[in-house]
Amino acid sequence: MNKGEKRVVIVTGAGQGVGQGVALAFAAIGCNVVLAGRTYEKLETTRKVIDDRGAGRCHSIACDVKSAASVEALVNETIEHFGRIDVLVNNAQEVPMGTLEQVTDEKFLAGFESGPLATLRLMKLVKPHLVQQGGGVIVNLVSSAVKRWDMAGYGAYAAVKQAIQSLTRAAASEWGGDNIRVLNIAPHAESPGLKGWVENNPEEAQAFFKTIPLGRIGTLEGDIGEAVVALCSPALGYLTGATIPLDGGQANFD
């Protein structure tokens, strides 16, 4: 995607963390960005940053990705407001963390509904609009947790993320003829979720950081957001169905 192109990008969970970083990066090149998330006030914080910079246009839409009616309304309002959709970034998700005995049915179901089910729903809803534009890009968020050698405490989380990976591969295969590219990213970034994990698991976090070859956690807009923008550009138009680990080289997805 080139600077100044007026493409329309939907980013879920755009009020903070990775979603905010991705939204800011797309706005910085002049895209029209739809900021979606459960908490409207957080979305407006992102919108104010974009407005203050004077690059790109944005529109905030309160959306609960666990609700079929809410995600349908998100897509419909995007079309009403901007008239098209070119990129979807499925970022918002509730994370079912804990050992298998600790993860309740309710937490696992929330992870599934906000993760693979929401991802599938939104992909199917935006597909006709991407086809109408002659193609587009869908970026889904997964995690290096699916590659952990020690899955203790991460089984439910990895399960829902692995499901998203499978949906991405299927969509890339089924929709490639419509010039729709579908990708996963697995980021490590300075998000509220990661910061909370570091605070609650200091010893594990210290050991984890030592396994990152680049020696640092990615920045939200610069390392993660700008990478997503690059993945959606024509220069990478032959890339689809892949999982890109934006993690400083920590995970082995080979």
Side-chain angles (χ1 to χ4, degrees):
M1 189 167 294
N2 300 319
K3 189 175 180 65
E5 286 189 348
K6 294 299 181 183
R7 296 293 186 259
V8 176
V9 182
I10 297 175
V11 181
T12 66
Q16 63 181 8
V18 170
Q20 183 181 67
V22 171
L24 293 176
F26 273 113
I29 65 165
C31 292
N32 297 324
V33 185
V34 173
L35 311 171
R38 286 184 301 181
T39 307
Y40 189 80
E41 291 75 17
K42 290 183 178 180
L43 301 176
E44 287 294 274
T45 298
T46 304
R47 181 192 63 77
K48 185 176 186 305
V49 174
I50 293 173
D51 288 347
D52 288 347
R53 290 181 178 182
R57 295 167 56 208
C58 60
H59 180 60
S60 300
I61 302 176
C63 174
D64 179 0
V65 296
K66 293 190 293 183
S67 163
S70 188
V71 294
E72 183 175 6
L74 166 64
V75 173
N76 290 340
E77 186 171 342
T78 298
I79 294 299
E80 291 173 6
H81 192 82
F82 285 124
R84 62 186 289 162
I85 298 170
D86 300 277
V87 175
L88 166 67
V89 180
N90 278 311
N91 166 68
Q93 183 177 353
E94 295 180 32
V95 178
M97 293 294 290
T99 65
L100 297 180
E101 292 179 326
Q102 291 171 337
V103 174
T104 63
D105 287 359
E106 290 76 16
K107 287 184 178 179
F108 186 76
L109 185 60
F112 181 83
E113 289 179 332
S114 62
L117 183 55
T119 295
L120 179 59
R121 283 171 170 164
L122 275 165
M123 288 197 300
K124 292 196 292 185
L125 285 166
V126 303
K127 186 204 173 196
H129 303 289
L130 300 182
V131 171
Q132 185 175 349
Q133 304 307 324
V137 185
I138 298 171
V139 178
N140 298 324
L141 273 285
V142 295
S143 170
S144 61
V146 303
K147 294 295 183 180
R148 289 181 66 94
W149 69 270
D150 177 6
M151 196 63 74
Y154 295 90
Y157 174 44
V160 295
K161 290 298 189 180
Q162 187 72 65
I164 293 173
Q165 276 194 297
S166 298
L167 293 172
T168 296
R169 288 291 301 174
S173 300
E174 295 173 10
W175 301 349
D178 293 309
N179 196 32
I180 296 173
R181 298 193 294 117
V182 192
L183 299 164
N184 294 312
I185 64 165
H188 290 330
E190 299 168 341
S191 65
L194 181 64
K195 291 178 180 178
W197 176 77
V198 170
E199 291 174 0
N200 293 325
N201 304 275
E203 293 183 4
E204 185 178 357
Q206 186 176 12
F208 176 77
F209 293 151
K210 291 179 180 179
T211 68
I212 301 175
L214 290 184
R216 63 181 180 83
I217 298 296
T219 61
L220 296 172
E221 182 178 358
D223 289 324
I224 310 304
E226 291 181 10
V228 173
V229 170
L231 290 169
C232 295
S233 72
L236 293 175
Y238 199 51
L239 179 64
T240 193
T243 295
I244 294 89
L246 302 176
D247 63 356
Q250 189 271 340
N252 181 6
F253 277 84
D254 295 341

